[in-house]
Amino acid sequence: MSTQIKSTSDRIIDASFYIILTIVGLLTLFPMYYVFVMSITPLQETVRNGGFVMIPSEVTFSAYQAIFDSPRLPQSLKVTATITVVGTFLNLVFTMLLAYPLSRKQLPGRKICLFLIVFTMVFSGGLIPTYLVVKEFGLLDSIWAMIIPGLISTFNLLITKTFFENLSIEIQEAAKIDGCNDLQTLYLVVLPLSKAIIATIGLFYAVAHWNEFFAGIMYLTSERLYPLQVILRDMLQQPNMSMEMMSQVQGLEAELPPMAIRMAMVVTTTLPILLVYPFVQKYFTKGVMLGAIKG
């Protein structure tokens, strides 16, 4: 078996690419590292270093104690988790139920339905009409206002439809010969073969729900229904909120800078999604490629 020997110029080019990618990776990770470091740095060291600390000599997790002892974070975390779990489940159900029939070329009116669906990617109803629709359906000041209006994403729907079109039609026809109807074929045959696309669009939906921010500001008035991102926004815009959280734990006012509370909140809202990515990464590229390119 022959092996190809790289020339000196090829090795230099490869090394240059690795160096550039390493630098880009470090620049990408540095803001996340700095946010975490500032969340665990005590007040005296922050003051001593002029507010910029790379490697703290002392570590304290009092900022995390403050935000978890506050009633705001547990309640907003509960709301965000509910929106993410329930919303993602409903998103997947309705996206699959719409994408599967649209993937069948014999469906009557298929082209008209696809045109109307794609049309929404170019032109939307607008902010005020959308708000009025949500209001007329009685969804204001309800967590359903952050789930139902975005129940089906056109982008995710088209990716799923194309993925279903690439599946073997012979297997589906064999299921129908065995007596399965369309719903049974979808549930028993198509979905078990679609784990890649389910994981991919499920991740898209989950990240969107976890980062829900605009709908929370638009449709909610009760603070008990605010998701995490709205609480984080209030903390960044209202310094008094950080002081309020510190005051609830005795002694923290002299131990932590207000910035540590905000940084701890940023870490808390970001970490759960970062932990999910490694488990779905193996499906991610496969799902997008199979759903975007018709072979």
Side-chain angles (χ1 to χ4, degrees), residues 55-257:
I55 302 177
S57 57
E58 299 180 26
V59 173
T60 175
F61 291 93
S62 299
Y64 295 92
Q65 178 187 353
I67 62 176
F68 279 102
D69 285 346
S70 170
R72 292 177 179 267
L73 180 65
Q75 177 62 25
S76 63
L77 183 60
K78 179 180 177 181
V79 171
T80 298
T82 301
I83 295 171
T84 302
V85 174
V86 177
T88 302
F89 174 76
L90 293 178
N91 289 141
L92 290 174
V93 170
F94 282 89
T95 300
M96 298 294 166
L97 290 177
L98 182 57
Y100 181 66
L102 289 176
S103 67
R104 305 298 91 191
K105 295 183 179 180
Q106 67 272 20
L107 178 70
R110 176 176 178 268
K111 292 184 178 180
I112 297 177
C113 291
L114 285 175
F115 172 78
L116 294 176
I117 291 172
V118 174
F119 185 82
T120 62
M121 296 184 68
V122 183
F123 301 98
S124 64
L127 181 61
I128 296 178
T130 303
Y131 179 86
L132 293 176
V133 170
V134 173
K135 179 181 178 181
E136 291 300 319
F137 275 93
L139 300 178
L140 291 182
D141 206 22
S142 167
I143 63 172
W144 295 108
M146 294 181 285
I147 297 176
I148 294 179
L151 203 56
I152 297 178
S153 165
T154 304
F155 175 77
N156 292 338
L157 174 67
L158 295 178
I159 291 179
T160 307
K161 178 192 74 71
T162 307
F163 183 93
F164 286 162
E165 290 176 345
N166 292 330
L167 294 178
S168 173
I169 191 64
E170 289 79 9
I171 298 179
Q172 301 175 51
E173 290 177 349
K176 291 185 177 181
I177 292 175
D178 290 337
C180 293
N181 56 34
D182 289 328
L183 284 177
Q184 290 173 326
T185 302
L186 173 63
Y187 179 73
L188 297 175
V189 178
V190 175
L191 293 185
L193 299 174
S194 306
K195 293 180 180 179
I197 197 64
I198 292 174
T200 300
I201 68 170
L203 178 63
F204 288 161
Y205 281 127
V207 171
H209 284 302
W210 186 267
N211 294 327
E212 188 60 73
F213 166 75
F214 186 72
I217 296 176
M218 282 292 298
Y219 306 130
L220 301 180
T221 55
S222 301
E223 290 190 4
R224 63 181 180 82
L225 296 177
Y226 282 172
L228 275 175
Q229 306 304 329
V230 176
I231 298 296
L232 176 60
R233 171 250 192 187
D234 290 343
M235 288 185 62
L236 296 177
Q237 290 189 346
Q238 303 173 16
N240 292 336
M241 185 179 294
S242 299
M243 301 300 295
E244 176 187 341
M245 288 186 175
M246 286 193 296
S247 66
Q248 295 176 358
V249 182
Q250 186 176 5
L252 284 188
E253 297 93 332
E255 184 179 351
L256 287 174

Side-chain angles (χ1 to χ4, degrees), residues 264-279:
M265 188 68 180
V266 172
V267 173
T268 303
T269 57
T270 306
L271 188 61
I273 288 297
L274 293 179
L275 295 177
V276 171
Y277 269 101
F279 296 99

